[in-house]
Amino acid sequence: MRKIDPRESEIISFLARAGGIQLTWTPHQLVWVVNPEMRSIRADYCPKGRRVHSVASGEFDDSDGVPVIVTLLLTNDGKFGELDFWKVNDEPVLDLPASDSAFRQVSSQQS
């Protein structure tokens, strides 16, 4: 378990806004690293197997030019649950995007 990275926090906030969610949480959030190569993280209070639902997703190009899809998932009570990264070639994610402007095809999954 580790403290959340500031850029991860920014990505969570960005995707929450894209999903129309007012998300309040601490920037000192502790997270489990779910998949170190993909950089996916899960809140410390959200154990494996707890149901989460998708709020918003976005896509950016990794530093090697390969697209990465990132999805924000919340718990049923509206708390941050997971930030899931998937690089389309299943290779490790090299770098997080430097700014929100690096994202394209941001979409909300709220109904």
Side-chain angles (χ1 to χ4, degrees):
M1 196 172 332
R2 66 169 172 80
K3 191 173 124 181
I4 196 164
D5 176 89
R7 185 62 189 132
E8 292 167 337
S9 292
E10 293 168 358
I11 293 169
I12 291 167
S13 295
F14 171 73
L15 290 174
R17 285 190 308 275
I21 299 296
Q22 180 67 36
L23 190 62
T24 54
W25 59 300
T26 174
H28 306 290
Q29 175 67 54
L30 293 177
V31 294
W32 300 100
V33 178
V34 177
N35 183 332
E37 292 168 342
M38 289 293 172
R39 301 183 88 159
S40 298
I41 57 171
R42 194 169 182 106
D44 63 333
Y45 51 76
C46 190
K48 184 177 179 181
R50 183 169 182 188
R51 293 191 59 89
V52 292
H53 63 277
S54 176
V55 172
S57 295
E59 185 178 317
F60 66 92
D61 288 335
D62 204 349
S63 57
D64 61 1
V66 177
V68 176
I69 298 168
V70 59
T71 303
L72 173 63
L73 299 110
L74 302 183
T75 61
N76 286 336
D77 57 357
K79 293 181 182 176
F80 164 66
E82 187 171 333
L83 189 63
D84 182 58
F85 291 86
W86 177 63
K87 192 167 181 176
V88 300
N89 66 357
D90 287 325
E91 293 292 322
V93 174
L94 302 174
D95 296 295
L96 297 180
S99 71
D100 296 344
S101 64
F103 282 93
R104 63 182 182 284
Q105 298 181 4
V106 177
S107 61
S108 171
Q109 280 86 47
Q110 294 291 18
S111 50

